[in-house]
Coordinates of all heavy atoms in Angstrom, one line a residue:
M1 N 102.8 -84.5 13.7 CA 103.7 -84.6 14.9 C 103.8 -83.3 15.6 O 104.4 -83.3 16.7 CB 105.1 -85.0 14.4 CG 105.2 -86.4 13.7 SD 106.7 -87.0 13.3 CE 107.6 -87.1 14.9
D2 N 103.1 -82.3 15.3 CA 103.2 -81.0 16.1 C 102.1 -81.4 17.2 O 101.2 -82.1 17.2 CB 102.5 -79.8 15.4 CG 103.5 -79.1 14.5 OD1 104.7 -79.4 14.4 OD2 103.0 -78.3 13.7
Q3 N 102.5 -80.8 18.3 CA 101.7 -80.9 19.6 C 100.3 -80.0 19.3 O 100.5 -79.0 18.9 CB 102.3 -80.4 20.9 CG 103.6 -81.3 21.3 CD 104.2 -80.7 22.6 OE1 104.4 -81.6 23.4 NE2 104.5 -79.6 22.6
I4 N 99.2 -80.6 19.7 CA 98.0 -79.9 19.4 C 97.2 -79.6 20.8 O 96.6 -78.6 21.0 CB 97.1 -80.6 18.5 CG1 95.8 -79.9 18.1 CG2 96.6 -82.0 19.1 CD1 95.1 -80.5 16.9
V5 N 97.3 -80.6 21.7 CA 96.6 -80.4 23.0 C 97.4 -81.0 24.2 O 98.1 -81.9 24.0 CB 95.2 -81.0 23.0 CG1 95.3 -82.4 22.7 CG2 94.2 -80.6 24.1
M6 N 97.3 -80.3 25.3 CA 97.8 -80.7 26.6 C 96.8 -80.7 27.6 O 96.1 -79.6 27.8 CB 99.0 -80.0 27.1 CG 99.6 -80.8 28.3 SD 100.9 -79.8 29.2 CE 99.7 -78.7 30.1
V7 N 96.5 -81.8 28.3 CA 95.6 -81.7 29.6 C 96.4 -82.3 30.7 O 96.8 -83.3 30.6 CB 94.2 -82.6 29.4 CG1 93.5 -82.5 30.6 CG2 93.4 -81.9 28.3
A8 N 96.5 -81.5 31.7 CA 97.2 -81.9 32.9 C 96.4 -81.7 34.1 O 95.7 -80.7 34.3 CB 98.6 -81.2 33.1
V9 N 96.4 -82.6 35.0 CA 95.4 -82.7 36.2 C 96.2 -83.1 37.5 O 97.0 -84.1 37.4 CB 94.4 -83.8 36.0 CG1 93.4 -83.7 37.2 CG2 93.5 -83.4 34.8
T10 N 96.1 -82.5 38.5 CA 96.7 -82.8 39.8 C 95.7 -83.2 40.8 O 94.7 -82.5 40.9 CB 97.6 -81.8 40.3 OG1 96.9 -80.5 40.6 CG2 98.8 -81.3 39.3
S11 N 96.0 -84.2 41.6 CA 95.2 -84.5 42.8 C 96.0 -85.2 43.8 O 97.3 -85.3 43.8 CB 94.1 -85.5 42.3 OG 94.7 -86.7 41.9
A12 N 95.5 -85.6 44.9 CA 96.1 -86.4 45.9 C 96.7 -87.8 45.5 O 97.6 -88.3 45.8 CB 95.4 -86.6 47.2
H13 N 95.7 -88.5 44.6 CA 96.0 -89.7 44.2 C 95.8 -90.0 42.7 O 94.9 -89.2 42.1 CB 95.1 -90.8 45.1 CG 95.2 -90.6 46.5 ND1 96.4 -91.1 47.2 CD2 94.5 -90.0 47.4 CE1 96.2 -90.8 48.6 NE2 95.0 -90.1 48.7
R14 N 96.4 -91.1 42.1 CA 96.4 -91.3 40.8 C 95.0 -91.5 40.1 O 94.8 -91.1 39.0 CB 97.4 -92.4 40.3 CG 97.0 -93.7 40.8 CD 98.0 -94.8 40.4 NE 97.4 -96.1 40.8 CZ 97.9 -96.6 41.9 NH1 98.6 -96.0 42.9 NH2 97.4 -97.8 42.3
G15 N 94.2 -92.2 40.8 CA 92.9 -92.6 40.3 C 92.1 -91.4 39.9 O 91.4 -91.3 38.8
E16 N 92.0 -90.4 40.8 CA 91.3 -89.2 40.5 C 92.0 -88.4 39.3 O 91.2 -87.9 38.4 CB 91.3 -88.2 41.6 CG 90.5 -88.7 42.9 CD 89.0 -88.5 42.6 OE1 88.6 -87.4 42.2 OE2 88.3 -89.5 43.0
S17 N 93.3 -88.5 39.3 CA 93.9 -87.7 38.2 C 93.7 -88.4 36.8 O 93.4 -87.8 35.8 CB 95.5 -87.6 38.4 OG 95.7 -86.8 39.4
F18 N 93.8 -89.7 36.8 CA 93.5 -90.4 35.5 C 92.2 -90.2 35.0 O 91.9 -89.8 33.8 CB 93.8 -92.0 35.7 CG 95.2 -92.5 35.7 CD1 95.6 -93.2 36.7 CD2 96.1 -92.1 34.7 CE1 97.1 -93.6 36.7 CE2 97.4 -92.5 34.6 CZ 97.9 -93.3 35.6
Q19 N 91.2 -90.4 35.9 CA 89.8 -90.2 35.5 C 89.5 -88.8 35.1 O 88.8 -88.6 34.0 CB 88.9 -90.6 36.7 CG 88.7 -92.0 36.9 CD 87.8 -92.2 38.1 OE1 87.6 -91.5 38.9 NE2 87.1 -93.6 37.9
A20 N 90.0 -87.7 35.7 CA 89.7 -86.3 35.5 C 90.4 -86.1 34.0 O 89.8 -85.3 33.4 CB 90.3 -85.5 36.6
C21 N 91.5 -86.5 33.9 CA 92.2 -86.3 32.6 C 91.5 -86.8 31.5 O 91.3 -86.1 30.5 CB 93.7 -86.8 32.7 SG 94.8 -86.3 31.3
E22 N 91.0 -88.0 31.6 CA 90.2 -88.7 30.6 C 88.8 -87.9 30.3 O 88.5 -87.6 29.2 CB 89.9 -90.1 31.0 CG 89.5 -91.0 29.8 CD 89.6 -92.4 30.1 OE1 89.8 -92.8 31.1 OE2 89.5 -93.1 29.1
F23 N 88.3 -87.5 31.5 CA 87.0 -86.7 31.4 C 87.2 -85.5 30.6 O 86.4 -85.2 29.7 CB 86.6 -86.3 32.9 CG 85.4 -85.6 32.9 CD1 84.1 -86.0 32.7 CD2 85.6 -84.2 33.3 CE1 82.9 -85.1 32.9 CE2 84.4 -83.2 33.3 CZ 83.2 -83.8 33.1
V24 N 88.3 -84.7 30.9 CA 88.5 -83.5 30.3 C 88.8 -83.7 28.7 O 88.3 -83.0 27.9 CB 89.7 -82.8 30.9 CG1 90.1 -81.5 30.1 CG2 89.3 -82.2 32.3
M25 N 89.5 -84.7 28.5 CA 89.8 -85.0 27.0 C 88.5 -85.4 26.2 O 88.3 -85.0 25.1 CB 90.9 -86.2 26.8 CG 92.3 -85.6 26.9 SD 92.6 -84.2 25.7 CE 92.1 -84.9 24.1
D26 N 87.7 -86.2 26.9 CA 86.6 -86.7 26.2 C 85.6 -85.4 25.9 O 85.1 -85.3 24.9 CB 85.7 -87.6 27.1 CG 86.3 -89.1 27.1 OD1 87.3 -89.2 26.3 OD2 86.0 -89.8 28.0
Y27 N 85.6 -84.4 26.9 CA 84.8 -83.3 26.7 C 85.5 -82.5 25.5 O 84.7 -82.1 24.5 CB 84.9 -82.4 27.9 CG 84.3 -81.1 27.6 CD1 82.8 -80.9 27.8 CD2 84.9 -80.0 27.1 CE1 82.2 -79.6 27.6 CE2 84.3 -78.9 26.9 CZ 83.0 -78.7 27.1 OH 82.3 -77.5 26.8
L28 N 86.9 -82.3 25.5 CA 87.5 -81.5 24.4 C 87.2 -82.1 23.0 O 86.9 -81.4 22.0 CB 88.9 -81.4 24.7 CG 89.4 -80.5 25.9 CD1 90.9 -80.7 26.1 CD2 89.2 -79.1 25.5
K29 N 87.1 -83.3 22.9 CA 87.1 -84.1 21.6 C 85.6 -83.8 21.0 O 85.4 -83.9 19.9 CB 87.3 -85.6 21.7 CG 88.7 -85.9 21.9 CD 89.5 -85.6 20.7 CE 89.4 -86.7 19.6 NZ 90.0 -86.4 18.4
T30 N 84.7 -83.6 21.9 CA 83.2 -83.5 21.5 C 82.5 -82.3 21.7 O 81.5 -81.9 20.9 CB 82.5 -84.8 22.2 OG1 82.5 -84.5 23.7 CG2 82.9 -86.0 21.9
Q31 N 82.9 -81.5 22.7 CA 82.1 -80.3 23.1 C 82.9 -78.9 22.8 O 82.3 -78.1 22.8 CB 81.8 -80.4 24.5 CG 81.0 -81.7 24.9 CD 79.5 -81.8 24.3 OE1 78.8 -80.9 24.5 NE2 79.3 -82.8 23.5
A32 N 84.1 -79.0 22.9 CA 84.9 -77.7 22.8 C 84.8 -77.2 21.3 O 84.8 -77.9 20.3 CB 86.4 -77.7 23.1
P33 N 84.4 -75.8 21.1 CA 84.1 -75.3 19.8 C 85.4 -75.0 19.1 O 85.9 -74.0 19.1 CB 83.3 -74.0 20.2 CG 83.7 -73.6 21.7 CD 84.1 -75.0 22.3
F34 N 85.9 -76.1 18.5 CA 86.9 -76.1 17.6 C 86.5 -76.5 16.2 O 85.7 -77.5 16.1 CB 88.3 -76.8 18.0 CG 88.9 -76.3 19.2 CD1 88.6 -76.8 20.4 CD2 89.8 -75.2 19.1 CE1 89.4 -76.4 21.5 CE2 90.5 -74.8 20.3 CZ 90.2 -75.4 21.5
W35 N 87.0 -76.0 15.1 CA 86.8 -76.6 13.8 C 88.2 -77.0 13.2 O 89.1 -76.1 13.1 CB 86.1 -75.6 13.0 CG 84.7 -75.2 13.5 CD1 83.6 -75.9 13.1 CD2 84.5 -74.3 14.5 NE1 82.5 -75.4 13.9 CE2 83.0 -74.5 14.7 CE3 85.1 -73.5 15.3 CZ2 82.3 -73.7 15.7 CZ3 84.4 -72.7 16.3 CH2 83.1 -72.9 16.5
K36 N 88.2 -78.1 12.7 CA 89.6 -78.7 12.1 C 89.4 -79.1 10.7 O 88.4 -79.7 10.3 CB 89.9 -80.0 12.9 CG 90.1 -79.8 14.4 CD 90.3 -81.2 15.0 CE 90.4 -81.0 16.6 NZ 90.4 -82.3 17.2
K37 N 90.2 -78.6 9.9 CA 90.3 -78.9 8.5 C 91.6 -79.5 8.1 O 92.8 -78.9 8.5 CB 90.2 -77.5 7.7 CG 90.1 -77.6 6.2 CD 89.7 -76.4 5.4 CE 90.3 -75.2 5.9 NZ 90.0 -74.0 5.1
E38 N 91.6 -80.6 7.5 CA 92.9 -81.4 7.0 C 93.0 -81.1 5.6 O 92.2 -81.0 4.8 CB 92.7 -82.8 7.3 CG 92.5 -83.2 8.7 CD 92.3 -84.7 8.8 OE1 91.5 -85.4 7.8 OE2 92.6 -85.3 9.8
Q39 N 94.4 -81.1 5.3 CA 94.8 -81.0 3.9 C 95.3 -82.4 3.5 O 96.1 -82.9 4.2 CB 96.0 -80.0 3.7 CG 95.7 -78.5 3.8 CD 94.7 -78.1 2.5 OE1 94.7 -78.7 1.5 NE2 93.7 -77.1 2.9

């Protein structure tokens, strides 16, 4: 339940913001150099 990530995007219209936010999250999930270990 701890917050782990926030992506916020601003634009003139919602379509660009929705798409860009999803683009950034898709990148973070696959390309950002983080290593996660679960207990």
Side-chain angles (χ1 to χ4, degrees):
M1 298 180 63
D2 283 350
Q3 297 182 128
I4 189 171
V5 63
M6 182 194 87
V7 173
V9 177
T10 62
S11 67
H13 304 286
R14 69 181 181 269
E16 293 283 315
S17 288
F18 280 129
Q19 287 183 327
C21 192
E22 198 167 13
F23 173 81
V24 172
M25 272 310 306
D26 288 345
Y27 174 89
L28 284 171
K29 289 288 288 182
T30 58
Q31 305 292 301
F34 290 102
W35 294 269
K36 301 174 184 177
K37 183 170 44 173
E38 296 174 329
Q39 289 294 332

